Amino acid sequence: MPSTIIDSAIFGDIFSTPAMRAVWSDENRTRKYLDIEAALARVQGRLGIIPQEAADEIVANCSLDRIDMATLKAQTERIGYPVLGVVSQLNALCRDRLGEYCHWGATTQDITDTATVLQMREALNLVDEDLAGLSAALATLAKRHRDTPMIGRSNLQQAVPVTFGYKMAGLLSAVERHRERLAQLRPRVLMGEFAGASGTLASLEHGAMETQAGLMEELDLAQPVIAWHTIRDTIAEVGCFLGLVGGTLGKLSMDVKLMMQTEVGEVYEPFAHGRGSSSTMPQKRNPISSCYIHASISVLRQHTAALLDAMVADHERSTGPWEIEWIVLPEAFCLLAGALKQARFVVSGLEVDAERMRANLEMTNGLVASEAVMMGLGRHIGREYAHDLVYDLCREAVRQNRPLLDLLAETPEISACLSRAELAKLCDPANYLGQSGVMVDRVLDRVKNPVRG
């Protein structure tokens, strides 16, 4: 019976996806073991390291439907590793003891690590697809709301105006950088392992490096220049990449949650009847997907740390740190897949209330334009003096609950420099968007003309 969020019949497709679970399933892992053993036999048969007859027999039996998974479970519990159980069953399946040539010169970790790399390749392809989909959805929002003014916030306080398109373009730029990172890391991390007991390939007297090269060519993986049994930076790099993507998704979910607050009400997750409702408060519309994202990426970050911890391995074959990867790498990918799925759902159907954004811009009676006024006035009386003068008027506007424009126009030092019409122009948030539109366009241009590693 499933007992984790990822495998749960109820929660599984909320916190992960069927496609990602399939990548890290027992069946797919075992299939990868068989693919590697078959490729190894083909290469060694061609090189004359093992008899061609043995190679053909081994390849013919490297089929998942010929492996007894219940027996493999029992063998793994007894031995401690599943690879030897697979090899043992393969040996038994082959006729005339030809199976004795299976796994020739390899060690358990060679097959395990290479299988993990093959699984990572499939998993990273799924992540890339989701990042591309998220990028397209963010680009649509950035373009549509390029000039939609809203308040920018600093320390949870109203700061100066931005546009909603600018906000989305910022997230889009991060997603595009993640796609670049993924392209750049592939050649480094999609590297197989075939090195023998201590990594020296001493088990093969002849054709060792040729076997290694041929095996990697068969599997379409990079050939290592030296064994990496206990040099785990490539696996840790993948973990860090997953953590970085998760951090961006967390930023997205945090902003959506804050903007969905009743007192803010600027955006809403896509509506579905009953979604986000409360069992006791009929009026509520909770940020459900954003909550799922937050929870998933919080755990993902801990998994990233665990993969960094797994780098601290002893000697040429480790005693424990390696197994950390078995636990956390599949979970990290599965949790990120769920978070990406939720993020794409949110962004693709996000409801944007431009009128509420404008109302929030105006709720402080013009205080959000104080920097614009200071800069405009500074040309006449000096920036620092203008700052202090406008600062005092802002406090007075709050005390009197009056528009800042009125107090500015009533101040002789200011009215002597700027007319009310000029002050009104400075106080309009839509006139103080800076280079928001230009920056949005630059991000969108990079999406149309991507730079990949």
Side-chain angles (χ1 to χ4, degrees):
M1 180 181 294
S3 59
T4 72
I5 282 288
I6 292 171
D7 292 324
S8 169
I10 297 172
F11 291 108
D13 290 344
I14 291 175
F15 286 96
S16 190
T17 64
M20 190 61 83
R21 283 196 300 274
V23 169
W24 298 101
S25 67
D26 289 338
E27 291 78 11
N28 195 44
R29 183 189 309 108
T30 305
R31 187 181 294 110
K32 295 294 182 285
Y33 295 157
L34 294 168
D35 290 345
I36 298 163
E37 296 290 359
L40 179 60
R42 282 195 297 270
V43 170
Q44 292 181 328
R46 285 199 302 267
L47 292 172
I49 294 173
I50 66 173
Q52 187 61 52
E53 184 183 14
D56 293 341
E57 180 69 11
I58 292 166
V59 170
N61 283 286
C62 282
S63 176
L64 183 63
D65 60 9
R66 308 212 66 185
I67 298 298
D68 186 319
M69 297 301 284
T71 299
L72 180 58
K73 174 181 181 294
Q75 291 171 318
T76 302
E77 289 172 352
R78 183 180 72 254
I79 300 166
Y81 307 102
V83 169
L84 191 53
V86 171
V87 172
S88 177
Q89 289 195 44
L90 268 177
N91 192 353
L93 288 166
C94 293
R95 62 178 174 82
D96 302 331
R97 297 180 60 82
L98 292 173
E100 293 290 348
Y101 288 101
C102 177
H103 199 70
W104 196 259
T107 191
T108 293
Q109 190 165 355
D110 290 337
I111 309 303
T112 303
D113 281 347
T114 303
T116 297
V117 172
L118 292 174
Q119 288 175 285
M120 285 198 309
R121 181 166 65 190
E122 292 181 0
L124 289 171
N125 287 341
L126 293 177
V127 171
D128 199 18
E129 290 173 12
D130 277 332
L131 287 174
L134 182 59
S135 175
L138 285 168
T140 297
L141 284 176
K143 184 176 181 180
R144 181 183 302 153
H145 294 283
R146 176 187 186 276
D147 302 313
T148 302
M150 65 173 294
I151 190 62
R153 296 177 171 91
S154 172
N155 290 324
L156 294 178
Q157 306 298 304
Q158 291 204 352
V160 297
V162 296
T163 70
F164 186 64
Y166 168 85
K167 194 176 189 73
M168 294 297 99
L171 289 164
L172 174 58
S173 69
V175 170
E176 284 299 298
R177 285 191 293 275
H178 294 321
R179 297 182 70 195
E180 289 179 21
R181 290 183 180 102
L182 179 50
Q184 291 162 359
L185 67 80
R186 283 181 189 272
R188 285 192 299 273
V189 307
L190 298 182
M191 173 178 63
E193 178 80 290
F194 181 74
S198 288
T200 64
L201 276 175
S203 52
L204 294 180
E205 185 178 357
H206 303 291
M209 300 312 293
E210 291 81 0
T211 297
Q212 187 188 74
L215 177 60
M216 298 314 147
E217 185 177 1
E218 283 269 337
L219 300 172
D220 195 23
L221 296 175
Q223 181 182 3
V225 295
I226 192 169
W228 52 278
H229 288 146
T230 52
I231 310 297
R232 312 302 290 181
D233 59 292
T234 55
I235 304 296
E237 181 177 2
V238 171
C240 290
F241 167 72
L242 301 181
L244 285 170
V245 175
T248 296
L249 302 183
K251 159 65 176 171
L252 165 66
S253 69
M254 179 65 75
D255 279 4
V256 169
K257 285 187 292 182
L258 292 172
M259 295 171 76
M260 277 186 69
Q261 290 181 102
T262 305
E263 295 82 358
V264 180
E266 294 174 342
V267 303
Y268 292 94
E269 289 186 0
F271 176 77
H273 183 72
R275 182 176 177 82
S277 61
S278 164
S279 62
T280 58
M281 296 167 281
Q283 85 280 7
K284 291 194 72 183
R285 184 173 174 180
N286 293 318
I288 296 299
S289 289
S290 295
C291 292
Y292 292 147
I293 294 169
H294 190 134
S296 295
I297 64 98
S298 294
V299 177
L300 170 58
R301 283 200 301 274
Q302 309 313 310
H303 285 350
T304 297
L307 289 170
L308 292 171
D309 207 34
M311 292 180 68
V312 187
D314 48 293
H315 298 303
E316 281 61 57
R317 297 288 293 280
S318 66
T319 54
W322 184 39
E323 284 80 354
I324 294 172
E325 296 172 359
W326 302 7
I327 300 168
V328 301
L329 190 63
E331 288 190 3
F333 269 106
C334 286
L335 288 170
L336 181 63
L340 280 165
K341 173 185 175 181
Q342 296 294 343
R344 290 184 65 179
F345 171 77
V346 169
V347 175
S348 297
L350 193 68
E351 296 179 16
V352 181
D353 192 336
E355 292 184 5
R356 185 60 177 265
M357 289 177 177
R358 182 72 196 202
N360 287 340
L361 272 171
E362 296 173 351
M363 68 184 298
T364 62
N365 282 329
L367 295 185
V368 296
S370 63
E371 183 184 72
V373 173
M374 177 194 74
M375 296 302 293
L377 188 58
R379 296 180 181 275
H380 301 279
I381 63 175
R383 194 205 67 83
E384 187 171 356
Y385 182 59
H387 173 278
D388 293 342
L389 182 59
V390 175
Y391 177 90
D392 290 337
L393 290 173
C394 286
R395 305 286 80 72
E396 191 61 24
V398 171
R399 190 184 69 80
Q400 296 184 29
N401 193 26
R402 293 179 62 199
L404 177 62
L405 175 60
D406 290 349
L407 274 69
L408 293 169
E410 293 170 5
T411 302
E413 289 177 88
I414 295 176
S415 60
C417 304
L418 298 169
S419 67
R420 184 179 179 90
E422 290 172 320
L423 289 168
K425 187 176 181 180
L426 289 172
C427 286
D428 184 351
N431 293 329
Y432 200 65
L433 297 174
Q435 302 301 307
S436 294
V438 172
M439 294 180 184
V440 171
D441 292 342
R442 293 204 304 179
V443 174
L444 291 174
D445 184 62
R446 283 179 61 84
V447 174
K448 287 186 288 187
N449 303 286
V451 177
R452 296 284 180 259

